[in-house]
Amino acid sequence: QVQLVESGGGLVQAGGSLRLSCAASGRIFSINEMGWYRQDPGKQRELVAVISSGGTTDYADSVKGRFTISRDNTKNTVYLQMNSLKPEDTTVYRCTAVDHFRYWGQGTQVTVSS
């Protein structure tokens, strides 16, 4: 089992920045991919950004150039630096990690005011 704990969400004005963190614990040695998804109530979950254990990244088109995902394997932590935030970025962001299964964090709320 892998446990994920997110932090760093909050309220920010449009154009501002936030940094999300997600710390993994438990059976972490077999984790490959880590990343972030977001989901509005009643809508499909959307990939935001993912990063492999080797550092390969992938981003949603809507966040390219504004968000940066990074990973510190020594701390078993993945980060999401979010710049130039827009009101449409408002939602719950959930951390994910994959070994033979996909694990999810509880989620952290990001609210961007106009």
Side-chain angles (χ1 to χ4, degrees):
Q1 287 283 359
V2 173
Q3 294 78 43
L4 302 172
V5 178
E6 302 119 327
S7 61
L11 172 64
V12 65
Q13 289 188 332
S17 298
L18 284 173
R19 187 193 195 206
L20 305 183
S21 300
C22 174
S25 61
R27 198 178 65 186
I28 59 175
F29 56 87
S30 58
I31 292 176
N32 180 10
E33 177 183 288
M34 295 187 73
W36 297 90
Y37 283 69
R38 61 189 183 187
Q39 184 173 21
D40 285 329
K43 294 187 178 181
Q44 192 169 359
R45 187 179 295 135
E46 174 190 23
L47 180 148
V48 178
V50 292
I51 184 167
S52 72
S53 57
T56 301
T57 59
D58 190 22
Y59 295 90
D61 288 341
S62 59
V63 307
K64 284 180 181 176
R66 300 189 298 123
F67 291 9
T68 302
I69 190 169
S70 60
R71 181 170 174 171
D72 186 338
N73 290 326
T74 65
K75 296 182 178 179
N76 305 310
T77 299
V78 64
Y79 305 96
L80 185 68
Q81 179 66 43
M82 305 186 294
N83 298 329
S84 302
L85 282 160
K86 304 175 181 179
E88 51 263 45
D89 294 319
T90 296
T91 190
V92 175
Y93 287 71
R94 296 185 72 186
C95 177
T96 186
V98 180
D99 55 14
H100 301 292
F101 302 97
R102 182 176 290 279
Y103 303 93
W104 294 97
Q106 294 281 22
T108 184
Q109 177 69 43
V110 171
T111 302
V112 184
S113 64
S114 57

